Amino acid sequence: RKSSACPCSVRLCLHPPPPATMGKGGNSKSSAPATTATAASSQALGPGEVWREDEGKSFKVQKSYVSKSALASIAKRTDLPAKITMAEAAKHNKRDDLWVIVDGKCYDVTRYVEHHPGGWLPMVNLGGKDATDAFANYHPARVYKNMLPQYYIGDVVDYRETEFQKGHRAIRQRLLAEGMFETRMSYYYKLTAWFAALLAGAVYCTLACTSFAVHMAGAVLLGAFWQQMAGVGHDIGHNGVTHVWKTDNTIGLLVGNFLTGIGMGWWKRSHNVHHVVCNSIENDPDIQHMPIFAVSPEIFGRFFSSYHQHWVETDAAARFLVSYQHWLFYPIMAFARFNLYAQAWLLLLSDEYVHNKKWEMVASAGFIAWLSSLVAYIPVGPWGNWERVLYLLVSHNVAGLLHVQICLSHFAMETYHGVPYKGEEDEWFRMQLATTLNIDCPAWLDWFHIGLQFQIEHHLWPRLPRHNLRYASKLVQEFCKEQGVNYHMPKWIDAQFDLVAHMKETAMKARDLKRGDAGFYESPIWEGLNAQG
């Protein structure tokens, strides 16, 4: 059974940190403990110990564990090399032959790929690579003890943790030592009251009033409700609210499928891949929007999408649409939500494994039922059914703000070919900083941006509660300044201008594309990458 492989079904006996090193419920204010990462962790840690997180709580545990059964299995295997090197591990990067490196140890996870709750795609994208940071940010402490050791096949003899990696990993250790991964539930109780007010206002304006203007106000409130709820759906999808896998998944059915129509199974499948290979042309589904959008001229030509499992080509339709993408962007974002509904149902109706697929179908059908009923019972005026259609359009146009917010975070940032983690130049921290931006905004506007204003910190530590991202941002900015790493954080309006300018630049290059011998439009970049011309 695929669901039985979930790590959250196993308990791990851990040792919590002393109260002196723990934050109170994840206090995000600048008054949080100001000790250095080294001081915060080394005071309480013994030899071979590190801070890890489990269900939102910080614990000191062994850095790695040994499985007697794995050692016995290694002795019986004849296919393993005498010494495992980084180069040897890199060869095992396929769905049916998959090794990963975590903290300098190599694990053959081939037999687990099809049972991975996060899907097989993130694992394959990390195959043969140093997955230390990605693994730490997506798995609770118990997995290191109860699951990972059974796949151990040996130490990587030439594994090296660079000083840069030690530096940014120390930030995570500090956040753990200070209790920053613990959710302050009062934060979400207040958000719940806010969401309830938005939804109640939307229903009241829609059903209790006869004025056309008030009905449209109800549509605006409903769209705002969907946009705001997306923030919690995002948090829940990363297991960042209760931090209990089953609980967050159950809540996800409510806030995702039922109340907003967004399939959590689809979202997780797509979003997990996006985080692991952010802005990879061939692998990140969040920037694969041909034939409508191209976030970089490097997309032109032909490439195979590992997520969609098909070839993407710049045909005549794509060339035409992309040539005007800077004009089309905002109008398309206004209707993009309908595409999310379709994507969710396409996955649910496919043969792909989706956890709780039947319950997702029920919850998604419930969304269609309540929204249809709401629209059907609008006491319309002279416009008749056209008023109902306009109601749907206005509510979805307002909710389209969410899609603009998402695209702002990555569309104008760096892209690359293939998979990162080839060395220090594209390891976890550097890759996320190069492909992601923050939005510079005052704290009182955090509600509006629903956590997406701190996408850098969120990409670095996806399970870090939203209310602690502002605090983490200060630590990351300090580290980037010390290391000379670009930390991009424009104002909201400036980010809009940058995005449109970037899309226009790509659009102008699309107009210069020529049809190649392969039947699709090619650019000098594509030709160069493929040694043509």
Side-chain angles (χ1 to χ4, degrees):
R1 290 169 45 213
K2 295 187 179 183
S3 59
S4 68
C6 174
C8 299
S9 62
V10 186
R11 289 282 177 179
L12 175 63
C13 183
L14 303 167
H15 305 286
T21 62
M22 286 288 289
K24 294 185 177 181
N27 187 356
S28 62
K29 297 181 180 179
S30 58
S31 58
T35 54
T36 65
T38 302
S41 57
S42 64
Q43 287 178 350
L45 294 176
E49 290 184 328
V50 294
W51 291 108
R52 297 208 193 279
E53 169 262 330
D54 204 291
E55 296 190 355
K57 301 294 192 297
S58 297
F59 302 94
K60 58 177 181 177
V61 297
Q62 288 178 224
K63 189 173 185 177
S64 59
Y65 296 86
V66 177
S67 166
K68 292 182 179 179
S69 61
L71 295 177
S73 176
I74 293 171
K76 297 177 182 178
R77 290 183 61 169
T78 59
D79 60 325
L80 296 177
K83 293 182 178 180
I84 299 176
T85 62
M86 295 291 291
E88 176 62 33
K91 299 175 184 177
H92 304 268
N93 60 354
K94 297 178 177 58
R95 191 173 180 176
D96 58 355
D97 178 21
L98 194 66
W99 296 4
V100 293
I101 300 168
V102 179
D103 290 320
K105 298 185 180 299
C106 194
Y107 301 89
D108 182 352
V109 292
T110 306
R111 56 193 170 96
Y112 183 65
V113 173
E114 304 302 331
H115 304 282
H116 185 229
W120 63 270
L121 281 164
M123 294 188 69
V124 171
N125 282 316
L126 289 166
K129 308 288 186 182
D130 180 9
T132 300
D133 297 294
F135 195 90
N137 285 300
Y138 276 95
H139 299 88
R142 76 195 78 158
V143 176
Y144 284 85
K145 181 177 182 180
N146 296 338
M147 292 189 70
L148 192 60
Q150 62 185 294
Y151 302 104
Y152 173 76
I153 56 173
D155 289 359
V156 181
V157 295
D158 58 346
Y159 178 83
R160 183 175 67 92
E161 183 182 36
T162 68
E163 292 302 314
F164 182 84
Q165 288 175 318
K166 291 177 182 178
H168 72 71
R169 289 170 183 173
I171 300 175
R172 187 173 191 275
Q173 287 292 294
R174 172 176 175 171
L175 292 170
L176 285 164
E178 294 175 354
M180 290 294 122
F181 280 79
E182 182 177 354
T183 299
R184 190 173 68 248
M185 292 308 298
S186 60
Y187 174 82
Y188 284 99
Y189 298 151
K190 293 175 184 177
L191 280 181
T192 301
W194 165 237
F195 300 152
L198 284 174
L199 183 58
V203 173
Y204 177 82
C205 291
T206 303
L207 301 180
C209 303
T210 57
S211 166
F212 172 84
V214 177
H215 289 165
M216 293 305 105
V220 170
L221 289 174
L222 182 60
F225 169 74
W226 284 334
Q227 183 264 346
Q228 288 287 293
M229 282 289 288
V232 173
H234 187 217
D235 300 341
I236 283 286
H238 282 291
N239 201 19
V241 178
T242 71
H243 299 276
V244 179
W245 192 78
K246 288 185 178 180
T247 304
D248 279 348
N249 270 275
T250 302
I251 297 173
L253 291 174
L254 174 65
V255 303
N257 299 68
F258 181 73
L259 289 176
T260 68
I262 307 302
M264 291 304 294
W266 165 80
W267 183 87
K268 286 183 179 181
R269 184 175 187 269
S270 170
H271 202 68
N272 287 339
V273 175
H274 162 67
H275 267 260
V276 170
V277 284
C278 186
N279 275 21
S280 166
I281 288 173
E282 294 84 3
N283 303 299
D284 183 0
D286 280 16
I287 63 166
Q288 294 177 351
H289 302 297
M290 294 284 273
I292 300 174
F293 296 141
V295 301
S296 167
E298 295 187 8
I299 285 179
F300 299 147
R302 188 171 188 257
F303 67 88
F304 186 80
S305 168
S306 64
Y307 180 84
H308 297 290
Q309 291 292 295
H310 65 67
W311 289 95
V312 178
E313 297 180 354
T314 309
D315 56 19
R319 178 178 178 271
F320 175 78
L321 291 170
V322 171
S323 295
Y324 297 96
Q325 65 177 1
H326 51 300
W327 293 106
L328 295 173
F329 176 73
Y330 289 104
I332 289 175
M333 290 299 101
F335 297 95
R337 192 173 189 86
F338 292 105
N339 176 60
L340 300 192
Y341 301 153
Q343 293 298 323
W345 277 104
L346 286 172
L347 178 63
L348 289 175
L349 296 173
S350 73
D351 295 330
E352 282 284 344
Y353 168 73
V354 178
H355 181 72
N356 280 338
K357 179 180 278 193
K358 291 182 179 179
W359 283 111
E360 284 219 19
M361 286 184 171
V362 170
S364 295
F367 169 78
I368 295 174
W370 77 254
L371 180 59
S372 300
S373 299
L374 179 69
V375 174
Y377 281 96
I378 297 175
V380 297
W383 285 41
N385 286 331
W386 285 110
E387 184 174 339
R388 294 187 172 96
V389 173
L390 189 59
Y391 182 93
L392 279 173
L393 293 179
V394 170
S395 60
H396 283 76
N397 290 171
V398 173
L401 171 64
L402 167 68
H403 305 280
V404 174
Q405 291 173 303
I406 293 171
C407 293
L408 277 183
S409 302
H410 303 288
F411 269 29
M413 300 301 287
E414 291 184 24
T415 58
Y416 55 92
H417 287 279
V419 179
Y421 318 114
K422 300 180 184 70
E424 184 174 0
E425 69 282 355
D426 64 351
E427 56 84 56
W428 176 264
F429 190 96
R430 290 188 187 276
M431 183 270 288
Q432 303 293 1
L433 266 290
T435 57
T436 311
L437 62 77
N438 278 4
I439 297 297
D440 185 8
C441 72
W444 64 269
L445 265 179
D446 283 350
W447 67 272
F448 171 77
H449 293 286
I450 60 174
L452 299 180
Q453 73 276 34
F454 294 116
Q455 279 285 71
I456 290 175
E457 288 69 34
H458 168 68
H459 266 249
L460 290 173
W461 309 295
R463 290 160 67 91
L464 188 68
R466 192 203 310 181
H467 52 76
N468 290 334
L469 292 174
R470 183 171 288 274
Y471 172 63
S473 174
K474 297 178 181 179
L475 303 183
V476 176
Q477 288 184 64
E478 292 173 2
F479 180 74
C480 287
K481 186 176 181 180
E482 293 173 0
Q483 298 293 327
V485 177
N486 181 45
Y487 186 99
H488 193 40
M489 187 168 65
K491 299 286 187 182
W492 163 260
I493 297 298
D494 292 335
Q496 305 278 349
F497 284 119
D498 290 345
L499 173 61
V500 173
H502 179 78
M503 297 193 76
K504 181 180 180 180
E505 181 181 356
T506 303
M508 295 303 103
K509 292 180 180 180
R511 297 181 186 183
D512 295 331
L513 294 177
K514 306 298 181 184
R515 184 183 292 274
D517 294 334
F520 49 86
Y521 286 87
E522 304 166 359
S523 68
I525 292 178
W526 190 92
E527 293 172 357
L529 288 170
N530 291 276
Q532 293 188 0

